[in-house]
Amino acid sequence: MKKYISSLIVFLLVLSTLIPIKSANAHENNGTNDSLQSNLSNESLEDVEFETIENNDSVGIIEVTYDDGSTSISEYNKESGEVFFDGELVATLTEENAIEENNSGTITPFASYKTYNIGDSSNGSGVYAYKYSKTFSLTVSSAATVVAIAATLAQAFLEKKPNQKAAALVSAAAGLIALATTGYTFKIKYTHTKDSKKSYRYMDWLMIYKGAVSGSNLKMRINHYYGKV
């Protein structure tokens, strides 16, 4: 009996030394995630609101308000393409020559992409007339957080109705970061359309491509519905 108890004690002592090691390894593994992914899990993102403070030919300034009332500032220098978030360079967003083809928003059936919606699509007729489009190159900095990239997307996207609680932009930014490697450049196409049958109703979309602007490279589409009901 004593021999059995002694063996049990030895076993428990050995086990007690292994458990902290296993726990430490688990903690280490959880801590090896890329810093961008860590930013995704640590931020409160649902009620982030974007409001344009200034937008002219040389600069775009967006105030970001969090659900606790605190704020951040996204500043886009349109001449250099640099986007700063609270004073830190997080991306470059450079406008390129507009691409006029495929303005209907038609997508190749072979494209694999995610769709995000801002606003209520049910108030429109579903028939929209193309007005204009812009294309951009977006290079993501390794220092960028999800909200910083969402604000960068807002710089390219929410020019017609910027004051939005745009959780869709935050979700898209998180997906974009998951696709990115340090210094990776995406192509973005923004298109502005007007409802053909209802006055003052609009639908804009932002398409994000990993690589050249082509159906097979499309990774996400963000639709923005707004205007008088």
Side-chain angles (χ1 to χ4, degrees), residues 30-41 142 144 177 180-182:
N30 288 335
T32 57
N33 291 335
D34 184 270
S35 60
L36 296 179
Q37 297 295 337
S38 297
N39 288 329
L40 169 61
S41 60
S142 60
I177 281 179
T181 55
T182 301

Side-chain angles (χ1 to χ4, degrees), residues 26-221:
H27 179 75
E28 181 182 353
N29 289 337
N30 288 335
T32 57
N33 291 335
D34 184 270
S35 60
L36 296 179
Q37 297 295 337
S38 297
N39 288 329
L40 169 61
S41 60
N42 291 337
E43 294 179 0
S44 177
L45 307 176
E46 288 301 318
D47 294 321
V48 177
E49 185 171 351
F50 302 92
E51 180 178 359
T52 296
I53 304 301
E54 185 174 353
N55 187 21
N56 54 49
D57 291 339
S58 60
V59 67
I61 298 176
I62 289 177
E63 183 179 66
V64 181
T65 303
Y66 303 92
D67 57 357
D68 63 359
S70 61
T71 60
S72 292
I73 294 293
S74 172
E75 183 172 348
Y76 173 31
N77 184 324
K78 297 181 181 180
E79 295 177 356
S80 68
E82 295 174 319
V83 183
F84 296 87
F85 194 78
D86 287 340
E88 183 174 11
L89 180 64
V90 294
T92 57
L93 182 66
T94 307
E95 187 174 350
E96 301 179 342
N97 294 329
I99 298 175
E100 298 300 330
E101 65 270 17
N102 195 25
N103 290 322
S104 66
T106 303
I107 307 298
T108 172
F110 303 107
S112 176
Y113 65 98
K114 293 183 178 180
T115 301
Y116 305 90
N117 293 309
I118 302 171
D120 187 357
S121 62
S122 64
N123 292 319
S125 69
V127 180
Y128 296 91
Y130 168 83
K131 294 299 181 181
Y132 64 85
S133 63
K134 297 180 179 181
T135 58
F136 300 86
S137 289
L138 172 64
T139 302
V140 179
S141 166
S142 60
T145 65
V146 172
V147 172
I149 296 303
T152 301
L153 293 177
Q155 295 281 12
F157 187 40
L158 296 177
E159 60 178 54
K160 291 296 180 183
K161 181 68 175 175
N163 304 338
Q164 291 286 327
K165 286 187 175 180
L169 278 179
V170 175
S171 298
L176 187 148
I177 281 179
L179 289 172
T181 55
T182 301
Y184 194 89
T185 299
F186 294 87
K187 296 292 184 181
I188 296 177
K189 182 178 179 182
Y190 161 75
T191 300
H192 173 59
T193 69
K194 185 179 184 302
D195 196 307
S196 298
K197 298 183 178 181
K198 289 191 174 183
S199 298
Y200 306 109
R201 289 294 301 172
Y202 305 91
M203 191 273 282
D204 298 344
W205 66 79
L206 195 70
M207 295 184 179
I208 301 175
Y209 303 84
K210 191 172 184 180
V213 177
S214 69
S216 59
N217 289 334
L218 180 63
K219 296 303 178 183
M220 57 188 68
R221 172 173 173 157

